[in-house]
Amino acid sequence: MKTGKGSIVLVRVLKLKQLKSGRERIVVTEFPYMVNKTKVHEHIVRLAQEKRIEGITAVRDESSREGVRFVIEVRRDASANVILNNLFKLTQLQTNFSFNMLAIEKGVPKNPFFAIKIL
């Protein structure tokens, strides 16, 4: 806040579900700001086909009018947490968003947080 510049990490909202068969499922219900769901789906499918991420058996987009639901099926012998870490590293399920909070006052950039006087 002192400089007026910075970045924040934007992450997804997801749930890990254990199925009766012993397999795990990753269900993504929200994507980060400015991330295209279709491009992420295609990228994950490509990574699984190229064997860059081991353990993904299926990727489905079950979104409807009620909301976003993006399902990644995990093999029985694979760990969902390891796959998630690889997905964060190789896809846009986790992104950084930079911002600049400087204001121009009389032609001079100033940090608006320190320009506010508390009464």
Side-chain angles (χ1 to χ4, degrees):
M1 282 187 39
K2 290 181 181 179
T3 63
K5 298 178 184 178
S7 68
I8 55 175
V9 177
L10 299 174
V11 294
R12 71 296 157 247
V13 176
L14 62 84
K15 297 175 190 170
L16 293 175
K17 292 189 177 182
Q18 185 78 26
L19 302 176
K20 292 179 183 177
S21 63
R23 296 170 57 181
E24 290 180 297
R25 177 184 287 175
I26 302 167
V27 180
V28 182
T29 55
E30 291 181 23
F31 285 90
Y33 178 68
M34 298 289 292
V35 172
N36 188 337
K37 177 182 63 163
T38 307
K39 288 184 180 181
V40 171
H41 180 269
E42 293 170 357
H43 194 219
I44 292 172
V45 169
R46 191 175 334 109
L47 289 172
Q49 288 173 348
E50 294 172 355
K51 306 261 188 220
R52 289 187 63 194
I53 297 179
E54 295 285 333
I56 295 177
T57 59
V59 181
R60 292 187 311 273
D61 185 6
E62 299 177 353
S63 301
S64 64
R65 288 184 180 189
E66 286 80 36
V68 175
R69 182 175 165 88
F70 190 78
V71 179
I72 301 169
E73 297 284 340
V74 178
R75 257 192 347 228
R76 192 172 290 142
D77 61 341
S79 171
N81 289 324
V82 172
I83 292 174
L84 271 177
N85 288 335
N86 288 328
L87 288 172
F88 294 154
K89 185 169 51 172
L90 298 173
T91 66
Q92 289 185 326
L93 287 179
Q94 178 174 323
T95 60
N96 287 335
F97 189 77
S98 299
F99 58 90
N100 186 350
M101 296 291 289
L102 294 177
I104 307 273
E105 182 181 337
K106 297 180 184 175
V108 179
K110 291 191 176 184
N111 189 340
F113 293 109
F114 293 108
I116 299 172
K117 294 179 182 176
I118 300 174
L119 300 174

